[in-house]
Amino acid sequence: MDVDAPEKVVEKPKSKKSPGQPSATGETASKYPKMDLAQRIHRLLMMNAGKMERDSSALTAEVKKEVLEELENASLYRSLQESLGWPAADGLDELEKKHVEALVDLEKKVEEAKESAGDMEVLDARLEIARYAAKSCDEEKALAMYDQVLDLPKLSTGKTIDALMECARVASFHGDLKKNAALVERASKLAQDGGDWDRRNRLKVYSALSNLLARNVKEAADLLVDCIATFSCNELCSYDEFVVYTVLSNIPYLPRPDLKTKIIDGPEILSVSKDIPEVINLVTALYDCDYKAYLHAMVDVHSVLIADRFLQPHAGFLMRELHVLGYKQFLDSYKSVTLESMAVSFGVTTKYLDLQLSRFIAAGRLTAKIDKYGGVVETNRPDLKNAQYRDMIQEGDLLLNRIQKLARVVDL
């Protein structure tokens, strides 16, 4: 029985407001691939899978038009045709021939730049090819063109980082998470050695979303909250989406004082709070200890999770963490409490609450026990000093075992 979330959700319209301003290097970043298009494609996939309820005809028409008329991307259309059951479109072969001819013409510009211009002109010509491929070709072709950019001699560290970030967006757009993570890590290492502040700041967002996709939520949370005031990656996600990622990833980890100062009262978050009411209601209800409103807000937040391509793979995990967080905060205030009283506070039945608590207690997520006969939940606050002593003994035993094994090997 799944008690974490409702089976289906209804998508709510989102504001297009984006207070985050692109940085100097962000302004020169390629607009392709369009990550907002990836989000719309994700929503179509969720609707097609029955995980979201909404008439998808308008969104389908919008995405088809953009793929065929603006991007002219035949390979992307064929991929969506297979996954969404779209009908075959006319002129796809002609589009692919057109791209082959265009790439040949652009390659001629590279040769002309090599003969009559300098390194910067060659770089610009190579970037033009790579960005054209990112817009209108498949992932393999686009990454191959970016590899030619990265192979250029005398390419500065800053330009290398820029190219790697654009490569990472191509991989992310096409759902190649392993390639995306590798590219972001490569760019981050370069930035540590010689990247400027602006590029390092933008890379934090790239790294955070890469960690979020890998379910390294704590690492992502630290990076995201550090970029609230300096966000400039509009090519990767909108500011509203960035704030949603920041709030949801930090709720389970920030202490209450920091949750208040950095999230609830943060001026940057307050500036978009009206555009993301589901997430703001959730964190506010938790801070105010309004547990009934908290669970209601979780139902609304579930629709946000499902509709987002970065959050949807981890919707079940995040919902469980939010449940544990609410129950733990409530139980920390009591030595014992009746199931009935706790159920009233959360606005649920005692049967539902008993099922949830017993599951989390058995998993070691809650330090409590349920007296089923008396209908009471008793909390077991662990003794920190004793816990530290036990950990030290266990780690000491492990160390001694390793030393003994090493000694036997040396004796041989």
Side-chain angles (χ1 to χ4, degrees), residues 338-362:
T338 64
L339 270 172
E340 184 178 355
S341 174
M342 187 174 177
V344 170
S345 295
F346 280 89
V348 297
T349 64
T350 54
K351 182 179 179 181
Y352 174 88
L353 184 63
D354 179 61
L355 176 64
Q356 287 262 290
L357 293 179
S358 60
R359 186 176 64 176
F360 293 134
I361 291 171

Side-chain angles (χ1 to χ4, degrees), residues 203-273:
L203 266 172
K204 284 183 181 180
V205 182
Y206 280 78
S207 298
L209 294 188
S210 178
N211 276 303
L212 197 59
L213 283 169
R215 200 174 286 185
N216 298 323
V217 181
K218 181 65 171 67
E219 292 83 351
D222 293 339
L223 291 167
L224 288 167
V225 78
D226 195 38
C227 297
I228 291 177
T230 56
F231 174 80
S232 59
C233 280
N234 288 303
E235 78 277 6
L236 190 60
C237 63
S238 70
Y239 190 69
D240 286 2
E241 290 169 337
F242 169 78
V243 171
V244 168
Y245 303 147
T246 303
V247 174
L248 290 179
S249 62
N250 276 278
I251 286 177
Y253 302 109
L254 279 182
R256 281 177 61 83
D258 290 342
L259 196 66
K260 177 69 170 174
T261 56
K262 294 182 178 181
I263 302 297
I264 297 175
D265 291 340
E268 294 83 11
I269 292 178
L270 287 174
S271 68
V272 296
S273 60

Side-chain angles (χ1 to χ4, degrees), residues 106-284:
L106 290 171
E107 193 67 42
K108 291 178 181 177
K109 289 185 179 180
V110 174
E111 297 304 321
E112 291 173 2
K114 287 179 179 179
E115 294 175 1
S116 59
D119 293 336
M120 286 302 299
E121 288 74 16
V122 173
L123 171 61
D124 290 342
R126 276 286 172 215
L127 277 175
E128 187 177 358
I129 296 177
R131 289 170 176 177
Y132 183 91
K135 171 189 172 185
S136 301
C137 301
D138 58 21
E139 178 194 5
E140 184 179 356
K141 187 68 174 179
L143 291 179
M145 295 299 101
Y146 272 108
D147 283 341
Q148 293 187 27
V149 174
L150 294 168
D151 289 340
L152 288 174
K154 301 179 183 179
L155 190 64
S156 68
T157 300
K159 294 297 183 182
T160 302
I161 293 172
D162 290 342
L164 287 170
M165 285 194 285
E166 292 188 16
C167 283
R169 282 171 51 210
V170 171
S172 176
F173 181 90
H174 292 280
D176 191 344
L177 306 187
K178 186 176 180 179
K179 184 70 173 178
N180 172 65
L183 289 165
V184 171
E185 183 179 359
R186 183 179 167 189
S188 298
K189 288 180 180 177
L190 281 175
Q192 291 173 3
D193 297 333
D196 57 26
W197 177 88
D198 181 62
R199 289 184 173 94
R200 288 198 301 270
N201 186 61
R202 290 174 60 219
L203 266 172
K204 284 183 181 180
V205 182
Y206 280 78
S207 298
L209 294 188
S210 178
N211 276 303
L212 197 59
L213 283 169
R215 200 174 286 185
N216 298 323
V217 181
K218 181 65 171 67
E219 292 83 351
D222 293 339
L223 291 167
L224 288 167
V225 78
D226 195 38
C227 297
I228 291 177
T230 56
F231 174 80
S232 59
C233 280
N234 288 303
E235 78 277 6
L236 190 60
C237 63
S238 70
Y239 190 69
D240 286 2
E241 290 169 337
F242 169 78
V243 171
V244 168
Y245 303 147
T246 303
V247 174
L248 290 179
S249 62
N250 276 278
I251 286 177
Y253 302 109
L254 279 182
R256 281 177 61 83
D258 290 342
L259 196 66
K260 177 69 170 174
T261 56
K262 294 182 178 181
I263 302 297
I264 297 175
D265 291 340
E268 294 83 11
I269 292 178
L270 287 174
S271 68
V272 296
S273 60
K274 293 181 179 178
D275 301 315
I276 50 172
E278 303 91 346
V279 176
I280 298 301
N281 291 341
L282 178 76
V283 67
T284 302

